[in-house]
Amino acid sequence: EEIDDARRVERVAAEMPQFVAAIRHWQRDTSLGPEATVLVGFSQGAIMALEAATEAGDDVLAGRVVALAGRYARLPATNPGGTTLFLIHGKADAVIHYGFTVEAARHMVALGADVVADVIPWLGHGIDAEVLDLVARRLRTHVPKRHWEAAMRQGVPPPGGGTQ
C-alpha cells in the first residue's frame, strides 16, 4: 500500500502517544531526563523521533535527535528549542530523497532551531561505518545552541578573550 503525505501524518499521529509514553517510561526507569536522552532513528524511526521531539513543544522529550535517512511527516510550525537536531542523509538514497533533509534543515534554521545537517554523497538508504563515526563525532563534539546562548546571556567572553 502506497503511503502518501496525508496517510503518513495520520499514521505517525496515531502511534505518537504510545511512542512518547515509552520514552518517558525509559527515562523514569533509568533516572535520566530529557537533557541526557538521545533519540536515534533510521528511516521510519527517524520520522518518529523528529515528530516526537517537535510535538513535545516546551515539554522537551530529548536533548538530541539523530535522524538518519528520514524526514518529517509534516514540517513543524515551531522550534523544538530544547532539542538539537542532527539530520544525516545519503544523497544516493532511493527510498527517501535527501531533499527532505535539506528542506527540513532550512525550515528549522529559519525557525531558530539548533540543526546540524549532513548529506553524504555516496550513501544510499542505509548506515555504514563512516556514518556511525560521524554520528559519534557529532554527539561528542557539538555544543548545543541553547548552551551557547545561555553562556552569552551570562556575559561569558568568547574564546581568546575578545568582546562581542
Side-chain angles (χ1 to χ4, degrees), residues 8-9 20 29 39 49 51 59-60 67 69 86 90 105-106 115 118 123 127:
R8 180 178 294 105
V9 171
V20 171
D29 278 4
L39 299 180
E51 294 290 327
D59 186 24
V60 177
F86 297 92
R106 287 182 179 149
V115 180
D118 293 286
L123 186 66
I127 303 168

Side-chain angles (χ1 to χ4, degrees), residues 148-159 161-164:
W148 278 109
E149 289 171 346
M152 293 300 105
R153 283 192 301 274
Q154 294 176 10
V156 175
T163 58
Q164 294 192 41

Side-chain angles (χ1 to χ4, degrees), residues 35-116:
E35 184 67 26
T37 301
V38 180
L39 299 180
V40 180
F42 170 75
S43 194
Q44 291 178 340
I47 295 169
M48 294 298 289
L50 287 167
E51 294 290 327
T54 303
E55 189 173 286
D58 290 337
D59 186 24
V60 177
L61 184 64
R64 297 177 287 179
V65 168
V66 178
L68 300 156
R71 58 168 290 183
Y72 278 99
R74 172 179 33 213
L75 288 173
T78 59
N79 168 6
T83 303
T84 299
L85 305 171
F86 297 92
L87 311 176
I88 301 172
H89 214 122
K91 192 170 184 179
D93 190 332
V95 177
I96 298 177
H97 193 274
Y98 78 93
F100 286 110
T101 286
V102 174
E103 178 186 23
R106 287 182 179 149
H107 178 78
M108 297 310 290
V109 166
L111 291 177
D114 186 9
V115 180
V116 177

Side-chain angles (χ1 to χ4, degrees), residues 23-24 26-37:
I23 294 165
R24 296 285 188 210
W26 296 328
Q27 288 172 331
R28 283 190 304 278
D29 278 4
T30 60
S31 299
L32 294 174
E35 184 67 26
T37 301

Side-chain angles (χ1 to χ4, degrees), residues 98 131 134 138 140 160:
Y98 78 93
V131 170
L134 173 63
R138 292 283 186 231
R140 272 194 323 270

